[in-house]
Amino acid sequence: MNTSVIGYPRIGKDRELKFASEKFFAGEIDENALLKVAKNIRKEDLLKQKEAGITYISSNDFSFYDNVLDTAFLFNIIPQRYKDLGLSELETYFALARGYQGVKGNVKALAMKKWFNTNYHYLVPEIDDDTEISLVGNKPVNEYVEAKSLGVETKVALIGPFTFLKLAKFTGSKKIADVSEKLTGEYVKLVSVLASKGAEFIEFDEPYLVRDLDGADIDLFKSIYARILANKNGTKVLLQTYFGDIRDVYTEVIKLDFDLIGLDFFEGRKTLDLVKTNGFPADKILVAGLVNGKNIWRNDYKKTLSVLSETGTGNVVIGTSCSLLHVPYTLENETKLSDDYKKHFAFAEEKLTELSEIAQIAGSDYENSNIFKNNQKLFEGRKDSEDKDVQAKVAAITDADYVRLPVFEERERIQKEILNLPLFPTTTIGSFPQTQDVRKNRQEFKKGLKSKEDYIEFNRKKIAECIKLQEEIGLDVLVHGEFERNDMVEYFGEHLNGYVFTEKAWVQSYGTRNVKPPIIWGDVSRREPITVEWSKFAKSCTNKPVKGMLTGPVTILNWSFPREDISIKESILQIALAIRDEVLDLETNGINIIQIDEAALREKLPLRRSDWYSEYLDFAIPAFRLVHSKVKPETQIHTHMCYSEFTDIIPAIDAMDADVITFEASRSDLQILDSLKENNFKTEVGPGVYDIHSPRVPSVEEIVSALTKMRTKIEDSKLWVNPDCGLKTRGTEETVKSLTNLVAAAKQIRG
Ligand code: GLN
Ligand code: ZN
């Protein structure tokens, strides 16, 4: 059996691309030095796959920042404001990605969005009325030729025109229909150039096909590919889909002249059904995505081989379910993790081995092969992963545990009386600037260079200063500042049973930014109180209310690699019970305002709207309620969410039944406010009054004007005043100025 990989990680095994790019941005190395690092990464990635014996290896899966941006660049979809800067090609590219501020001008970056249901972000291409779509670049051609010169014959991976157009933003009067023919024509040209260089296989990535499609979408898709497939120029075309099943177009797709069709059998709940019910054409090759490109667990060969045989087609290739971009490079990097753990994991490199092993034993009497037997041993049960106590607690959860009483309105009245806050109370989201000394303190403690006492002493000093600063500024609800945390998920994971941490398992989030998600290994429970001492100390420094600060269960799960042996729902409930213990401890210790952050609530929202509630919100929202349902009526529960794209799930957010929610709004032209009003949102709200992602200090007038707009949509008695996210990435000076203006603005409107 043959094997196929949709795409490989591209940041370099030791994050070489990140470090080289950052040096390039800082002017420490020149363009050539950066190009060289990139070339080396491509070479290593290709040879790794070749060595593993992969049949279909992609070229053009590399990117300096993002491959949607690469595609825009390839077809001259570059807004004039970037061209006007008069920069070199690579610098222009980075200007679109990161913005440009310098001698040649000042432009913001393109908007960035989550890539489907992953934590990877792409840049949103902008098409305006002056855009002249034209094949001007040669990245796919160059990278194909480069691979060939290394002795690797590749399939050339392209983001398909359908997905590209559906993701692009049209800023002028033109619509998709006005440009789709032109763009398709340019793709056809590209195919012919690639063919002339000897490319045999071209892969069109069309993940958008797994979303809900309407008739117009399907027509668009068909018209694009009718033309491309009529102009194959002797190449073989692979239609590659991922992140779900293509139930809306499967029967159409198999009628078209694709030579290979790639389907996701891992996340695509209906994929196998579609193939079985409608059949798969005998003259095409099925690339079966069965090795999960999104998670780090070993593949269960028994399941995989059984699905392969159930497809009922002989023309089948075993592939990854999506690009391996979403998993770390290699377990070889993990020197501290014992083999007892490691043998259960497969990062990108180990997934290559899995593909070859599956290909090797498929079709044979595999049950007797050692490869198969060894694999199956892994699924007999894992060391320390089970905790009967936790399982019993989850099983004992009743409907009443999801309900907080008394009802919101009653609590709101009680809390107003007890907290006695002014109208338009001011607060922050939790973190204060993470200055050099704060990081150093943590690092030294972690490395054992600093005693626990000294570490705590330092943080206490910081907390005391932070409280004093907030009092001077005049904020109403204070925070301790989060100096003990490097990351809002890792910090909690470290205090929970059931978590495993890696050293170098980095995954690209966007551009040069990578994340290192912890792994949920087993049943989760709280080992010890996590934040209580810090919050208690902060409270002892002031007479003002101090808000406790926790990360919620949905976010903790969504920013970890989840288990595959139990459901996500089950894991979220376990984490919810652990965080609930913390909430109740804070309350017992006199902290009567507690914020439970759910920054990543939307992350795992299904791609199909019809699945939103049944597949996700119906358990994620109750899990949040489980965390706070047992607190007293006078304890005020806050939550915070980033990425304001939640206009469409407002009722679900209200159903979290928090008392106050703060969120990012300053960048989304306050459109969300209309939606709050329309939905009769009951929860008190603090839409961020300024953007903390920029060092700019907002003026008092600016904040007053934002608040004035908010007051037209939100009752005065429900409006809070706060920045739109934590302040950890900001400098101290700008933070003090901004918050001072924020308090002045609140006072002004109170007056
Ligand atoms: N409490 C966190 C902070 O202030 C929230 C971070 C986030 O929303 N991403 O940093
Ligand atoms: Zn935030």
Side-chain angles (χ1 to χ4, degrees):
M1 185 177 286
N2 284 335
T3 51
S4 175
V5 171
I6 297 176
Y8 208 67
R10 59 207 186 192
I11 55 178
K13 221 167 145 179
D14 290 306
R15 289 182 292 159
E16 293 89 338
L17 190 62
K18 169 195 179 68
F19 300 121
S21 304
E22 286 172 353
K23 278 189 188 147
F24 175 70
F25 301 153
E28 289 162 26
I29 61 170
D30 65 8
E31 202 164 304
N32 276 331
L34 177 59
L35 295 178
K36 215 167 130 190
V37 171
K39 191 170 175 177
N40 242 329
I41 292 174
R42 289 195 295 268
K43 179 174 162 190
E44 272 186 28
D45 287 359
L46 286 168
L47 294 183
K48 220 7 127 201
Q49 295 174 80
K50 190 178 172 183
E51 250 168 56
I54 303 301
T55 324
Y56 299 102
I57 300 173
S58 284
S59 56
N60 197 41
D61 56 344
F62 173 81
S63 181
F64 275 107
Y65 210 92
D66 162 47
N67 29 21
V68 176
L69 177 61
D70 294 333
T71 310
F73 220 70
L74 179 67
F75 295 111
N76 196 35
I77 300 172
I78 305 171
Q80 193 58 37
R81 60 184 186 276
Y82 297 99
K83 292 187 170 176
D84 287 344
L85 295 169
L87 301 166
S88 78
E89 198 179 310
L90 189 63
E91 282 170 335
T92 307
Y93 174 86
F94 283 128
L96 273 94
R98 315 171 55 235
Y100 176 90
Q101 208 166 2
V103 285
K104 303 206 167 156
N106 190 345
V107 277
K108 283 206 286 191
L110 290 179
M112 196 165 67
K113 274 203 178 147
K114 256 162 59 70
W115 175 242
F116 296 87
N117 53 0
T118 71
N119 190 22
Y120 173 77
H121 301 74
Y122 68 95
L123 288 149
V124 184
E126 258 179 45
I127 299 180
D128 57 37
D129 293 347
D130 300 324
T131 306
E132 286 197 25
I133 297 176
S134 157
L135 176 65
V136 292
N138 39 24
K139 177 177 182 292
V141 180
N142 291 348
E143 289 180 19
Y144 168 76
V145 172
E146 181 186 275
K148 200 175 180 113
S149 75
L150 293 164
V152 188
E153 183 61 44
T154 54
K155 59 180 158 80
V156 184
L158 306 171
I159 303 263
F162 176 69
T163 295
F164 182 84
L165 287 171
K166 293 299 287 182
L167 298 183
K169 185 162 105 189
F170 289 78
T171 56
S173 60
K174 283 192 182 163
K175 303 253 163 13
I176 289 186
D178 303 312
V179 302
S180 69
E181 268 185 46
K182 176 69 182 156
L183 181 65
T184 307
E186 299 305 293
Y187 268 89
V188 167
K189 275 189 207 159
L190 176 60
V191 171
S192 103
V193 180
L194 287 166
S196 74
K197 298 286 178 186
E200 207 181 322
F201 293 96
I202 302 185
E203 168 184 318
F204 286 87
D205 284 13
E206 291 288 11
Y208 207 91
L209 291 180
V210 311
R211 305 200 73 129
D212 291 320
L213 303 177
D214 60 21
D217 293 328
I218 298 173
D219 288 345
L220 172 69
F221 173 78
K222 276 164 52 183
S223 74
I224 288 173
Y225 281 96
R227 180 134 167 237
I228 290 176
L229 295 170
N231 293 282
K232 290 200 272 188
N233 263 292
T235 61
K236 293 199 170 63
V237 172
L238 159 60
L239 174 72
Q240 184 64 61
T241 64
Y242 39 84
F243 301 146
D245 60 67
I246 58 166
R247 66 188 81 152
D248 297 334
V249 278
Y250 181 79
T251 52
E252 301 286 345
V253 159
I254 55 173
K255 280 189 249 160
L256 295 170
D257 192 22
F258 292 109
D259 301 279
L260 306 94
I261 297 173
L263 304 176
D264 181 345
F265 284 79
F266 206 94
E267 237 182 313
R269 272 189 299 127
K270 297 210 168 156
T271 303
L272 184 59
D273 243 18
L274 286 168
V275 173
K276 279 163 80 174
T277 317
N278 304 291
F280 189 84
D283 61 340
K284 299 188 196 308
I285 293 174
L286 172 64
V287 183
L290 274 157
V291 170
N292 190 358
K294 273 191 181 170
N295 207 343
I296 46 74
W297 297 94
R298 284 296 313 270
N299 186 274
D300 182 345
Y301 292 177
K302 190 171 174 183
K303 275 193 200 157
T304 297
L305 288 157
S306 113
V307 174
L308 280 173
S309 74
E310 273 189 81
T311 60
T313 164
N315 276 334
V316 61
V317 167
I318 172 83
T320 56
S321 67
C322 61
S323 166
L324 297 178
L325 157 77
H326 309 291
V327 291
Y329 263 84
T330 171
L331 277 166
E332 249 173 51
N333 275 342
E334 303 303 322
T335 54
K336 292 194 186 131
L337 209 56
S338 95
D339 279 337
D340 288 340
Y341 290 112
K342 280 206 271 190
K343 68 179 183 207
H344 290 280
F345 303 149
F347 295 176
E349 201 172 310
E350 293 76 28
K351 286 182 194 283
L352 299 178
T353 310
E354 293 190 326
L355 288 169
S356 348
E357 287 189 350
I358 296 164
Q360 196 186 323
I361 60 175
S364 67
D365 163 25
Y366 59 77
E367 305 218 340
N368 291 315
S369 71
N370 283 336
I371 288 180
F372 185 80
K373 285 189 210 153
N374 288 337
N375 174 268
Q376 287 307 291
K377 268 190 220 143
L378 297 171
F379 297 91
E380 281 163 9
R382 282 185 286 115
K383 185 193 151 213
D384 321 326
S385 72
E386 286 200 43
D387 183 331
K388 295 276 180 253
D389 269 4
V390 174
Q391 292 171 5
K393 276 188 197 148
V394 170
I397 297 172
T398 65
D399 287 350
D401 292 324
Y402 294 115
V403 182
R404 183 174 174 201
L405 289 171
V407 294
F408 174 85
E409 291 73 14
E410 180 65 12
R411 296 185 324 249
E412 191 179 33
R413 195 185 53 74
I414 297 171
Q415 290 163 17
K416 286 223 187 293
E417 212 172 284
I418 290 187
L419 293 169
N420 197 22
L421 295 167
L423 201 56
F424 312 115
T426 55
T427 190
T428 62
I429 307 305
S431 59
F432 265 69
Q434 291 254 335
T435 42
Q436 206 56 47
D437 54 335
V438 171
R439 289 173 203 279
K440 200 170 146 219
N441 181 52
R442 273 200 316 263
Q443 279 157 9
E444 288 185 346
F445 173 56
K446 241 188 177 154
K447 284 187 192 145
L449 302 171
K450 193 169 210 167
S451 71
K452 191 166 180 184
E453 293 70 41
D454 289 351
Y455 166 76
I456 292 176
E457 197 42 47
F458 175 91
N459 275 346
R460 288 184 162 215
K461 203 182 99 225
K462 277 282 165 188
I463 291 172
E465 283 168 16
C466 185
I467 293 285
K468 188 156 166 274
L469 179 68
Q470 294 172 78
E471 283 182 332
E472 281 164 11
I473 292 173
L475 288 154
D476 300 309
V477 173
L478 315 190
V479 295
H480 77 284
E482 302 185 19
F483 304 109
E484 74 286 1
R485 304 179 197 178
N486 51 339
D487 177 288
M488 62 189 287
V489 169
E490 191 168 60
Y491 180 75
F492 284 87
E494 279 168 354
H495 293 81
L496 297 174
N497 296 316
Y499 260 90
V500 163
F501 298 89
T502 56
E503 274 171 89
K504 292 187 173 175
W506 296 99
V507 178
Q508 188 176 22
S509 173
Y510 64 88
T512 57
R513 203 172 132 76
N514 307 308
V515 293
K516 191 158 63 71
I519 299 170
I520 305 179
W521 168 262
D523 293 332
V524 174
S525 59
R526 191 181 68 147
R527 190 159 47 237
E528 65 226 343
I530 308 172
T531 63
V532 176
E533 286 306 315
W534 304 125
S535 289
K536 241 169 78 182
F537 177 75
K539 189 158 174 61
S540 74
C541 300
T542 178
N543 291 323
K544 288 202 163 180
V546 171
K547 179 162 69 165
M549 197 56 60
L550 308 174
T551 303
V554 185
T555 297
I556 292 184
L557 182 112
N558 284 353
W559 281 345
S560 308
F561 283 118
R563 287 167 70 174
E564 283 176 356
D565 59 335
I566 65 171
S567 69
I568 287 197
K569 174 180 172 183
E570 183 92 1
S571 266
I572 290 192
L573 290 178
Q574 293 181 356
I575 301 169
L577 290 176
I579 300 301
R580 174 163 85 168
D581 291 345
E582 187 72 12
V583 168
L584 295 176
D585 273 355
L586 284 170
E587 185 181 59
T588 309
N589 281 283
I591 308 295
N592 58 352
I593 303 183
I594 302 167
Q595 178 173 314
I596 307 161
D597 288 327
E598 284 292 13
L601 184 88
R602 240 194 115 98
E603 203 108 325
K604 283 201 163 58
L605 195 66
L607 294 171
R608 290 177 190 274
R609 207 175 248 265
S610 45
D611 295 339
W612 278 6
Y613 281 86
S614 58
E615 298 282 313
Y616 182 67
L617 293 172
D618 281 350
F619 62 81
I621 302 296
F624 181 87
R625 289 202 303 263
L626 182 63
V627 174
H628 68 88
S629 62
K630 290 279 179 286
V631 300
K632 297 186 211 133
E634 52 268 40
T635 299
Q636 189 172 63
I637 297 295
H638 289 218
T639 186
H640 165 72
M641 289 178 48
C642 303
Y643 318 124
S644 51
E645 268 181 70
F646 52 80
T647 323
D648 45 7
I649 53 166
I650 296 278
I653 309 269
D654 221 13
M656 291 164 83
D657 205 21
D659 298 306
V660 181
I661 174 168
T662 56
F663 54 85
E664 190 180 301
S666 54
R667 287 197 288 186
S668 61
D669 49 298
L670 306 175
Q671 168 205 53
I672 193 165
L673 302 179
D674 289 320
S675 196
L676 294 178
K677 196 175 160 99
E678 274 160 32
N679 285 282
N680 256 322
F681 202 68
K682 70 176 192 324
T683 316
E684 296 187 6
V685 288
V689 294
Y690 76 90
D691 176 11
I692 62 90
H693 303 86
S694 135
R696 231 182 115 254
V697 174
S699 66
V700 178
E701 298 74 59
E702 217 176 304
I703 300 175
V704 167
S705 125
L707 286 168
T708 308
K709 253 189 243 156
M710 291 172 190
R711 290 177 68 189
T712 65
K713 308 284 176 189
I714 298 166
E715 282 169 47
D716 285 356
S717 63
K718 286 192 190 286
L719 184 58
W720 285 66
V721 182
N722 46 264
D724 71 350
C725 196
L727 301 162
K728 62 174 171 244
T729 56
R730 296 272 60 90
T732 307
E733 203 189 302
E734 74 225 30
T735 296
V736 174
K737 285 187 186 153
S738 301
L739 293 178
T740 306
N741 289 353
L742 179 145
V743 169
K747 285 194 176 141
Q748 192 171 319
I749 59 163
R750 274 174 209 155

